[in-house]
Amino acid sequence: MTTIRLSVPQTADRGEIIELRAMIQHEMESGFRFGSRGEMIPQDIITKFECFYNGTLFFSSDFHPGVAANPILKFYARANESGSFEFVWTDQDGQSWSDSAQIEVS
Amino acid sequence: MRLLAACFLFVGAACSPETTQLEPDFTIEASQRVSGSNFLTPETVAQQNDDFENPGYLWVERGADLFEQGEPSCAGCHENGLEGVATHYPAFDTGTQTLINLEGRINLCRTRHQGLTSLPYESDELLSLTAFVAEQSRGLPISVEVTPQTQSAFESGANYFMTRRGQLNLACTQCHDDNWGKQLRGDTISQGHGNGFPAYRFEWEDFGSLHRRLHDCDTGVRAAPMELGSQTYIDLEFYLAVRASGLELESPGIRR
């Protein structure tokens, strides 16, 4: 069960700088921890985050084992046209989760 | 209220005056009572108060989805929401004649009214539902009172709080009543109120119940911890809730 939370303004003026926030529920298990019986807990992390504005990649980020659980990202975009932002997270095994949000630019 | 006072007088007459506590006495006076968030950094408090950046809302959102599921669903009966409900828990359940906490109430609703099975304590589903219900009381003062029916549970909880345990031979009260505000290694000792729970703890990198926190306190003094959801912990949760009365409920809180 993975919950994604997005914060994207519904409307913006053309050329306005807008703040985007995205959070995903993920354990981000570093692979450096040991369980109660001394066994190594295998690494399980998201390795890549990408954000597309009307299909064009405009922001991406690589995640490493030091990133905390349930990572949140805050970044900015210039609102040039109405459309959608698509947020995609991909883990080390290639599994991915995505969600999108609409924006009206006037 | 007058009726309640009359009940107390009756009980007071029946047993010795020493064992009856009308107005429980706490080491920390009401005017000095402060929430655990007072001992956090301003950044953490800001994150807790931001409804988006607070990771606890991942569980609140999932709880909102679960609230709509089932036949009948939770929302089918509680269509107007449950604002303020969480401030009165733990509470006495007349059906089972036991003291139950919010998690227990949710599970009772499932078995009594929804034809569903109880959710395991600390399961993601139960935590999510609890968080969703507790969040609706965010900012409201905790208001839990000792009644004749819950007097013994209160005393049992108080007893657990006051009893030295574990290899370190420490009672809860020694840190959280006598030494709050001082440093314990790198950390500031809080007053030990449960008003932020269920909460997101950085140490866990996860969302958890008050009982999970109590479990950590017990292992911290190297005592054998109780089962999560056990009556001992519910009694202790009750004692803590009375002790925290008047503080704002902060769930989903963020704690170190």
Short mmCIF file of all heavy atoms in Angstrom, two decimals, chain B residues 40-77:
data_model
loop_
_atom_site.label_atom_id
_atom_site.label_comp_id
_atom_site.label_asym_id
_atom_site.label_seq_id
_atom_site.Cartn_x
_atom_site.Cartn_y
_atom_site.Cartn_z
N LEU B 40 10.55 20.13 21.08
CA LEU B 40 11.03 19.87 19.73
C LEU B 40 11.69 21.13 19.17
O LEU B 40 11.47 22.24 19.68
CB LEU B 40 9.87 19.48 18.81
CG LEU B 40 9.06 18.24 19.19
CD1 LEU B 40 7.86 18.11 18.28
CD2 LEU B 40 9.92 17.00 19.11
N THR B 41 12.45 20.97 18.09
CA THR B 41 13.02 22.14 17.43
C THR B 41 11.89 22.88 16.69
O THR B 41 10.88 22.26 16.34
CB THR B 41 14.08 21.74 16.39
OG1 THR B 41 13.45 20.93 15.40
CG2 THR B 41 15.22 20.98 17.03
N PRO B 42 12.04 24.19 16.45
CA PRO B 42 11.01 24.94 15.73
C PRO B 42 10.73 24.33 14.35
O PRO B 42 9.59 24.35 13.88
CB PRO B 42 11.61 26.34 15.58
CG PRO B 42 12.64 26.44 16.64
CD PRO B 42 13.15 25.07 16.89
N GLU B 43 11.77 23.76 13.71
CA GLU B 43 11.59 23.17 12.39
C GLU B 43 10.64 21.97 12.46
O GLU B 43 9.79 21.78 11.60
CB GLU B 43 12.94 22.71 11.80
CG GLU B 43 13.89 23.82 11.44
CD GLU B 43 14.67 24.35 12.65
OE1 GLU B 43 14.50 23.82 13.76
OE2 GLU B 43 15.45 25.30 12.47
N THR B 44 10.82 21.14 13.49
CA THR B 44 9.97 19.96 13.62
C THR B 44 8.53 20.37 13.93
O THR B 44 7.58 19.78 13.42
CB THR B 44 10.51 19.03 14.73
OG1 THR B 44 11.88 18.79 14.49
CG2 THR B 44 9.76 17.72 14.75
N VAL B 45 8.37 21.40 14.77
CA VAL B 45 7.02 21.88 15.08
C VAL B 45 6.35 22.40 13.81
O VAL B 45 5.18 22.12 13.54
CB VAL B 45 7.07 22.99 16.16
CG1 VAL B 45 5.68 23.58 16.39
CG2 VAL B 45 7.61 22.42 17.46
N ALA B 46 7.15 23.14 12.98
CA ALA B 46 6.60 23.66 11.73
C ALA B 46 6.16 22.52 10.83
O ALA B 46 5.11 22.59 10.18
CB ALA B 46 7.63 24.53 11.02
N GLN B 47 6.98 21.46 10.80
CA GLN B 47 6.61 20.31 9.96
C GLN B 47 5.34 19.63 10.49
O GLN B 47 4.48 19.23 9.73
CB GLN B 47 7.77 19.32 9.92
CG GLN B 47 7.58 18.25 8.85
CD GLN B 47 8.71 17.25 8.80
OE1 GLN B 47 9.62 17.26 9.63
NE2 GLN B 47 8.65 16.36 7.83
N GLN B 48 5.25 19.53 11.82
CA GLN B 48 4.06 18.92 12.41
C GLN B 48 2.80 19.72 12.06
O GLN B 48 1.74 19.14 11.78
CB GLN B 48 4.21 18.84 13.93
CG GLN B 48 2.91 18.39 14.62
CD GLN B 48 3.06 18.27 16.12
OE1 GLN B 48 3.65 17.32 16.60
NE2 GLN B 48 2.53 19.22 16.87
N ASN B 49 2.92 21.04 12.07
CA ASN B 49 1.74 21.88 11.86
C ASN B 49 1.41 22.11 10.40
O ASN B 49 0.38 22.70 10.08
CB ASN B 49 1.93 23.23 12.56
CG ASN B 49 2.00 23.05 14.06
OD1 ASN B 49 1.49 22.07 14.60
ND2 ASN B 49 2.64 23.98 14.76
N ASP B 50 2.29 21.65 9.48
CA ASP B 50 2.03 21.78 8.06
C ASP B 50 1.30 20.51 7.59
O ASP B 50 1.88 19.43 7.58
CB ASP B 50 3.36 21.95 7.31
CG ASP B 50 3.15 22.22 5.83
OD1 ASP B 50 2.26 21.59 5.23
OD2 ASP B 50 3.88 23.05 5.27
N ASP B 51 0.04 20.67 7.21
CA ASP B 51 -0.77 19.49 6.87
C ASP B 51 -0.25 18.74 5.67
O ASP B 51 -0.67 17.62 5.42
CB ASP B 51 -2.23 19.90 6.61
CG ASP B 51 -2.91 20.31 7.89
OD1 ASP B 51 -2.25 20.27 8.94
OD2 ASP B 51 -4.10 20.67 7.85
N PHE B 52 0.62 19.36 4.88
CA PHE B 52 1.17 18.59 3.77
C PHE B 52 2.48 17.91 4.15
O PHE B 52 2.69 16.73 3.87
CB PHE B 52 1.39 19.47 2.53
CG PHE B 52 1.85 18.66 1.36
CD1 PHE B 52 0.93 17.96 0.59
CD2 PHE B 52 3.20 18.52 1.07
CE1 PHE B 52 1.36 17.15 -0.46
CE2 PHE B 52 3.62 17.71 0.02
CZ PHE B 52 2.69 17.04 -0.74
N GLU B 53 3.36 18.65 4.80
CA GLU B 53 4.70 18.11 5.04
C GLU B 53 4.74 17.13 6.21
O GLU B 53 5.72 16.42 6.39
CB GLU B 53 5.69 19.26 5.27
CG GLU B 53 5.85 20.09 4.00
CD GLU B 53 7.00 21.08 4.06
OE1 GLU B 53 7.80 21.01 5.00
OE2 GLU B 53 7.07 21.92 3.15
N ASN B 54 3.70 17.09 7.01
CA ASN B 54 3.62 16.14 8.11
C ASN B 54 3.37 14.74 7.55
O ASN B 54 2.31 14.47 6.99
CB ASN B 54 2.46 16.56 9.02
CG ASN B 54 2.33 15.67 10.24
OD1 ASN B 54 2.77 14.53 10.23
ND2 ASN B 54 1.72 16.19 11.28
N PRO B 55 4.36 13.82 7.67
CA PRO B 55 4.18 12.50 7.07
C PRO B 55 3.03 11.70 7.70
O PRO B 55 2.55 10.74 7.10
CB PRO B 55 5.53 11.80 7.29
CG PRO B 55 6.22 12.59 8.34
CD PRO B 55 5.67 13.96 8.33
N GLY B 56 2.60 12.08 8.90
CA GLY B 56 1.47 11.40 9.53
C GLY B 56 0.22 11.43 8.66
O GLY B 56 -0.63 10.54 8.76
N TYR B 57 0.12 12.45 7.82
CA TYR B 57 -1.06 12.55 6.97
C TYR B 57 -1.13 11.47 5.90
O TYR B 57 -2.20 11.24 5.32
CB TYR B 57 -1.16 13.96 6.35
CG TYR B 57 -1.82 14.91 7.31
CD1 TYR B 57 -1.08 15.61 8.25
CD2 TYR B 57 -3.20 15.07 7.30
CE1 TYR B 57 -1.70 16.45 9.17
CE2 TYR B 57 -3.82 15.93 8.21
CZ TYR B 57 -3.07 16.60 9.13
OH TYR B 57 -3.68 17.42 10.04
N LEU B 58 -0.01 10.77 5.65
CA LEU B 58 -0.08 9.60 4.77
C LEU B 58 -1.03 8.57 5.37
O LEU B 58 -1.81 7.93 4.68
CB LEU B 58 1.31 8.99 4.59
CG LEU B 58 2.34 9.79 3.80
CD1 LEU B 58 3.73 9.22 4.00
CD2 LEU B 58 2.00 9.80 2.32
N TRP B 59 -0.97 8.43 6.70
CA TRP B 59 -1.83 7.46 7.38
C TRP B 59 -3.24 8.03 7.54
O TRP B 59 -4.21 7.28 7.44
CB TRP B 59 -1.22 7.08 8.74
CG TRP B 59 -0.13 6.09 8.59
CD1 TRP B 59 -0.23 4.74 8.74
CD2 TRP B 59 1.25 6.34 8.25
NE1 TRP B 59 0.98 4.14 8.50
CE2 TRP B 59 1.90 5.09 8.20
CE3 TRP B 59 1.99 7.49 7.97
CZ2 TRP B 59 3.26 4.96 7.89
CZ3 TRP B 59 3.33 7.36 7.66
CH2 TRP B 59 3.95 6.11 7.62
N VAL B 60 -3.34 9.33 7.78
CA VAL B 60 -4.67 9.94 7.90
C VAL B 60 -5.44 9.76 6.59
O VAL B 60 -6.62 9.39 6.59
CB VAL B 60 -4.56 11.44 8.25
CG1 VAL B 60 -5.92 12.12 8.20
CG2 VAL B 60 -3.93 11.63 9.63
N GLU B 61 -4.75 9.97 5.46
CA GLU B 61 -5.41 9.83 4.16
C GLU B 61 -5.86 8.40 3.91
O GLU B 61 -6.95 8.15 3.41
CB GLU B 61 -4.46 10.26 3.03
CG GLU B 61 -4.53 11.74 2.78
CD GLU B 61 -3.85 12.17 1.49
OE1 GLU B 61 -3.42 11.30 0.71
OE2 GLU B 61 -3.75 13.37 1.28
N ARG B 62 -5.00 7.46 4.28
CA ARG B 62 -5.38 6.05 4.10
C ARG B 62 -6.58 5.73 5.01
O ARG B 62 -7.50 5.03 4.61
CB ARG B 62 -4.19 5.15 4.45
CG ARG B 62 -4.57 3.70 4.41
CD ARG B 62 -3.51 2.81 3.80
NE ARG B 62 -4.10 1.52 3.50
CZ ARG B 62 -3.67 0.38 4.04
NH1 ARG B 62 -2.64 0.37 4.85
NH2 ARG B 62 -4.27 -0.75 3.74
N GLY B 63 -6.57 6.28 6.23
CA GLY B 63 -7.68 6.08 7.15
C GLY B 63 -8.98 6.63 6.59
O GLY B 63 -10.05 6.03 6.75
N ALA B 64 -8.89 7.78 5.90
CA ALA B 64 -10.09 8.37 5.30
C ALA B 64 -10.68 7.43 4.24
O ALA B 64 -11.89 7.29 4.13
CB ALA B 64 -9.75 9.72 4.68
N ASP B 65 -9.79 6.76 3.48
CA ASP B 65 -10.27 5.78 2.49
C ASP B 65 -10.93 4.60 3.18
O ASP B 65 -12.00 4.14 2.78
CB ASP B 65 -9.10 5.28 1.63
CG ASP B 65 -8.61 6.35 0.66
OD1 ASP B 65 -9.37 7.31 0.44
OD2 ASP B 65 -7.49 6.23 0.15
N LEU B 66 -10.27 4.08 4.23
CA LEU B 66 -10.80 2.90 4.93
C LEU B 66 -12.14 3.22 5.59
O LEU B 66 -12.99 2.35 5.72
CB LEU B 66 -9.79 2.43 6.00
CG LEU B 66 -8.49 1.84 5.47
CD1 LEU B 66 -7.49 1.66 6.60
CD2 LEU B 66 -8.76 0.48 4.80
N PHE B 67 -12.30 4.48 6.01
CA PHE B 67 -13.52 4.90 6.69
C PHE B 67 -14.74 4.73 5.79
O PHE B 67 -15.86 4.55 6.26
CB PHE B 67 -13.37 6.37 7.11
CG PHE B 67 -14.24 6.79 8.25
CD1 PHE B 67 -13.96 6.38 9.54
CD2 PHE B 67 -15.34 7.61 8.05
CE1 PHE B 67 -14.75 6.77 10.62
CE2 PHE B 67 -16.14 8.01 9.12
CZ PHE B 67 -15.84 7.58 10.39
N GLU B 68 -14.51 4.78 4.47
CA GLU B 68 -15.62 4.66 3.51
C GLU B 68 -15.89 3.21 3.12
O GLU B 68 -16.85 2.93 2.42
CB GLU B 68 -15.29 5.46 2.23
CG GLU B 68 -14.95 6.92 2.45
CD GLU B 68 -16.17 7.74 2.85
OE1 GLU B 68 -17.29 7.33 2.50
OE2 GLU B 68 -15.99 8.78 3.52
N GLN B 69 -15.01 2.30 3.54
CA GLN B 69 -15.15 0.91 3.10
C GLN B 69 -15.96 0.09 4.09
O GLN B 69 -16.12 0.45 5.23
CB GLN B 69 -13.77 0.27 2.90
CG GLN B 69 -13.03 0.87 1.71
CD GLN B 69 -11.59 0.38 1.64
OE1 GLN B 69 -11.22 -0.59 2.27
NE2 GLN B 69 -10.77 1.09 0.87
N GLY B 70 -16.44 -1.09 3.62
CA GLY B 70 -17.20 -1.99 4.48
C GLY B 70 -18.69 -1.77 4.29
O GLY B 70 -19.13 -0.76 3.73
N GLU B 71 -19.48 -2.74 4.73
CA GLU B 71 -20.93 -2.67 4.57
C GLU B 71 -21.60 -3.04 5.90
O GLU B 71 -21.69 -4.22 6.23
CB GLU B 71 -21.38 -3.63 3.46
CG GLU B 71 -22.78 -3.40 2.96
CD GLU B 71 -23.03 -1.98 2.48
OE1 GLU B 71 -22.28 -1.48 1.63
OE2 GLU B 71 -23.99 -1.39 3.00
N PRO B 72 -22.07 -2.13 6.72
CA PRO B 72 -21.99 -0.69 6.48
C PRO B 72 -20.58 -0.16 6.71
O PRO B 72 -19.83 -0.73 7.49
CB PRO B 72 -22.95 -0.12 7.54
CG PRO B 72 -22.89 -1.11 8.66
CD PRO B 72 -22.69 -2.45 8.02
N SER B 73 -20.26 0.93 6.05
CA SER B 73 -18.95 1.55 6.27
C SER B 73 -19.00 2.38 7.56
O SER B 73 -20.08 2.64 8.09
CB SER B 73 -18.60 2.46 5.09
OG SER B 73 -19.47 3.57 5.09
N CYS B 74 -17.83 2.77 8.04
CA CYS B 74 -17.78 3.66 9.23
C CYS B 74 -18.60 4.92 8.94
O CYS B 74 -19.38 5.38 9.77
CB CYS B 74 -16.36 4.05 9.56
SG CYS B 74 -15.19 2.69 9.65
N ALA B 75 -18.39 5.45 7.71
CA ALA B 75 -19.04 6.70 7.35
C ALA B 75 -20.56 6.54 7.27
O ALA B 75 -21.31 7.52 7.42
CB ALA B 75 -18.50 7.21 6.02
N GLY B 76 -21.04 5.30 7.05
CA GLY B 76 -22.47 5.05 6.98
C GLY B 76 -23.18 5.47 8.26
O GLY B 76 -24.30 5.99 8.23
N CYS B 77 -22.56 5.21 9.41
CA CYS B 77 -23.13 5.64 10.70
C CYS B 77 -22.64 7.04 11.07
O CYS B 77 -23.41 7.89 11.47
CB CYS B 77 -22.74 4.68 11.81
SG CYS B 77 -23.51 3.05 11.68
#
